Amino acid sequence: MKRALTLLGLVACLSAWAQNPAPANPPSESSATPSAAVGAQQFTLSNGMQLIVQADRRAPTAVHMVWVRVGSMDEVDGTSGVAHVLEHMMFKGSKQLPAGEFSRRVAALGGRDNAFTSRDYTGYYQQIPSERLEDVMRLESDRFANNQWPDDEFRRELEVVKEERRMRTDDQPRAALFEQLYATAYTASPYRRPVVGWMSDLDAMTPDDARAFFRKWYVPSNAAVVVAGDVDVAQVRRLAEKYYGSIPARATPERKPRTEPAQLGVRRLTVKLPAEQAMVTLAFKVPGISQLETLNAQDQDALALLVLSEVLSGYSGARLERALEQGPRRVADSAGSSASLLGRGPSMFMLTGIPAAGKTAAEVEAALRAEVQRVAREGVAAAELERVKTQWIAGSVYERDSVFNQAQGLGSYWSMHLPVDAEERLLQHLRKVTSAQVQDVAARYFGDDQLTVATLEPQPLDPGKPRRPLSAPDQPLH
């Protein structure tokens, strides 16, 4: 559970953001969005679709992505999982191509492709030699505008998705624990539903459910093309207007607010599944980052909470590791924290631990809370705070070496209504977080009223059932 937080990892997390901006006017030379991000430029195509380009000429490769600002949070009860199912169906044909042909053609170009679905967005990508960029733009724009497939193809692929659910959730005790945690912590927010969907909804899903979701949300004004790599910005802009700008414009549907009501007391749940070890997760509702220009009080608190999470478990030998995993008072085999504060929905701060042999989940829970209380009493030393910030900056700079990471970061920022220079803005704000701010949020946000505690209670393993490898819970689905 120990990891150094980088900003690319941060933007995969969850929080609350503003409504969609209105489509801009047809592009002109002045329509590029000013940006402090090196090489990143943003344009609006004639139909309202966004184009983000970042040139990086170090290697003859390019990443082409299409991001759609729609995920499981945009579903309605009874059709949970349809955003992810549709992601699968986007590979099953268009007016020009039969099922499976899209990926075969990308491979023939010397590239690779895939897609992913989260609560907040859906993305499609191809990594190809840069001279083949026009070929994949032609393919992807056709798929975006003209996705179609027969009902039998849908039924076959739906069984694939059901098996994915079995493998990644039903047969994974820790993933099942997180699924139940979200379903308990949230009542009104659509984050309470799993990205993969409830099995009963998958059983009842029809081809027309996916088609209707496609028609509603896959519109130019709700999508962005992101290109990074060995490309010429002006040429990419011309190609994007040719292949994407010609798709008929349609309005993005109105999104209804689904605000989570205030929690009025601690919630607890126990999940009983065959497992080797127990696990306990404490989920606290906390404020998220709403924008990056002029920070309000909640934005400042959210940034301090991010730093607190890193102080607790953001590096090897951080506080939770020293206090819970080492020494004579060792209570956990592993312990960690995470702050999910960027996204289109509510935000959450989690503390998680796996009890050591002879220790209980209750002991781990108490030890996790004690470490936060210690920060609230004593604060964080300047040297420790500086170490966290230095690792943050180094990790973010390292990630920029990857063209794929550059494209993924830009698409993630766009999906949450952030500017193309969001990474630099976040780093600037995080550098200014003080020890007093970290101490203050540790004292104010970790009481019982906004807490949900989920405990995995191990049941005997079935020796006749094959064990599947562990998968990371709560990650975008492919």
Side-chain angles (χ1 to χ4, degrees):
M1 294 182 190
K2 294 171 283 296
R3 74 282 176 269
L5 177 68
T6 60
L7 291 178
L8 181 58
L10 173 61
V11 297
C13 298
L14 314 172
S15 182
W17 291 95
Q19 295 297 311
N20 286 341
N25 293 325
S28 64
E29 287 305 314
S30 62
S31 67
T33 300
S35 170
V38 177
Q41 297 186 60
Q42 185 169 345
F43 308 92
T44 301
L45 303 182
S46 56
N47 56 6
M49 199 170 195
Q50 297 298 299
L51 170 67
I52 303 171
V53 187
Q54 183 157 318
D56 185 332
R57 316 307 286 269
R58 290 176 295 175
T61 186
V63 173
H64 170 266
M65 307 183 95
V66 168
W67 291 73
V68 189
R69 194 180 281 131
V70 67
S72 64
M73 73 171 297
D74 301 292
E75 300 163 351
V76 297
D77 287 342
T79 60
S80 67
V82 69
H84 175 234
V85 171
L86 177 57
E87 175 222 306
H88 279 239
M89 297 314 299
M90 292 292 285
F91 290 86
K92 299 303 177 181
S94 71
K95 289 182 178 179
Q96 304 295 326
L97 299 177
E101 184 63 20
F102 184 97
S103 294
R104 284 193 287 270
R105 293 202 181 186
V106 172
L109 295 172
R112 63 185 183 94
D113 72 315
N114 212 325
F116 45 86
T117 305
S118 76
R119 290 180 172 88
D120 296 311
Y121 51 74
T122 307
Y124 304 85
Y125 70 84
Q126 302 85 40
Q127 186 157 11
I128 36 81
S130 52
E131 71 268 15
R132 310 318 295 262
L133 177 62
E134 182 172 4
D135 296 309
V136 296
M137 293 180 86
R138 183 186 299 111
L139 287 168
E140 188 66 271
S141 62
D142 171 59
R143 174 166 71 170
F144 181 90
N146 302 308
N147 178 241
Q148 63 181 36
W149 25 262
D151 288 358
D152 287 347
E153 196 69 49
F154 175 87
R155 295 186 184 99
R156 284 192 292 270
E157 194 62 25
L158 187 60
E159 295 306 313
V160 173
V161 173
K162 290 179 184 179
E163 180 60 16
E164 184 175 357
R165 181 190 161 83
R166 296 183 191 102
M167 291 180 63
R168 296 189 59 168
T169 303
D170 297 345
D171 291 347
Q172 298 283 351
R174 296 177 189 176
L177 178 77
F178 278 91
E179 181 178 88
Q180 292 295 312
L181 169 62
Y182 275 91
T184 303
Y186 295 122
T187 55
S189 170
Y191 278 1
R192 61 190 167 82
R193 294 189 298 264
V195 176
V196 74
W198 300 114
M199 186 63 85
S200 60
D201 287 349
L202 296 176
D203 287 336
M205 194 171 293
T206 69
D208 285 342
D209 289 331
R211 292 183 181 116
F213 199 81
F214 172 76
R215 289 192 298 269
K216 182 176 183 179
W217 295 110
Y218 279 58
V219 300
S221 58
N222 197 43
V225 178
V226 178
V227 177
D230 185 19
V231 297
D232 175 78
V233 175
Q235 181 185 28
V236 172
R237 190 178 177 191
R238 287 193 298 271
L239 291 173
E241 194 64 63
K242 176 181 178 181
Y243 291 108
Y244 291 100
S246 59
I247 299 171
R250 288 190 289 131
T252 303
E254 180 184 2
R255 286 182 163 96
K256 300 289 186 180
R258 288 176 282 183
T259 305
E260 181 67 19
Q263 186 173 326
L264 304 177
V266 65
R267 298 172 184 170
R268 289 185 177 271
L269 67 142
T270 300
V271 174
K272 296 182 178 181
L273 285 172
E276 293 181 337
Q277 289 179 290
M279 181 176 184
V280 61
T281 296
L282 290 72
F284 298 87
K285 290 174 180 171
V286 295
I289 301 171
S290 60
Q291 48 82 39
L292 291 173
E293 286 73 32
T294 303
L295 301 182
N296 59 32
Q298 287 198 338
D299 295 326
Q300 296 279 8
D301 284 353
L303 289 165
L305 285 162
L306 286 172
V307 176
L308 172 61
S309 179
E310 293 308 290
V311 167
L312 292 173
S313 70
Y315 58 92
S316 180
R319 289 186 175 219
L320 292 183
E321 181 181 351
R322 295 197 308 269
L324 275 71
E325 300 178 38
Q326 299 174 358
R329 296 185 180 180
R330 179 175 180 266
V331 297
D333 282 344
S334 66
S337 65
S338 64
S340 300
L341 307 178
L342 278 173
R344 295 196 289 122
S347 303
M348 191 175 283
F349 191 109
M350 290 190 184
L351 300 169
T352 299
I354 296 174
K359 301 298 181 178
T360 66
E363 289 175 296
V364 174
E365 177 184 339
L368 289 167
R369 299 193 74 171
E371 285 307 302
V372 177
Q373 292 162 4
R374 180 182 167 205
V375 175
R377 289 193 312 271
E378 303 171 6
V380 180
E384 186 177 10
L385 192 64
E386 186 61 28
R387 177 177 183 176
V388 166
K389 293 180 181 181
T390 299
Q391 290 195 166
W392 229 324
I393 295 168
S396 296
V397 170
Y398 177 78
E399 278 190 335
R400 295 175 190 170
D401 285 339
S402 165
V403 173
F404 184 87
N405 285 345
Q406 292 176 45
Q408 187 174 22
L410 289 166
S412 299
Y413 300 140
W414 169 84
S415 72
M416 290 172 277
H417 303 279
L418 293 174
V420 292
D421 63 344
E423 181 174 312
E424 291 301 324
R425 294 188 189 214
L426 279 165
L427 283 172
Q428 289 170 10
H429 292 315
L430 288 165
R431 287 187 182 103
K432 298 175 184 177
V433 173
T434 67
S435 177
Q437 288 176 296
V438 176
Q439 183 176 9
D440 178 57
V441 295
R444 286 193 291 119
Y445 287 107
F446 295 88
D448 284 352
D449 287 351
Q450 296 295 304
L451 170 63
T452 301
V453 181
T455 302
L456 173 62
E457 186 176 303
Q459 303 299 298
L461 297 171
D462 182 354
K465 186 174 182 178
R467 294 173 58 192
R468 301 185 191 271
L470 289 176
S471 61
D474 197 38
Q475 295 297 311
L477 293 176
H478 292 263

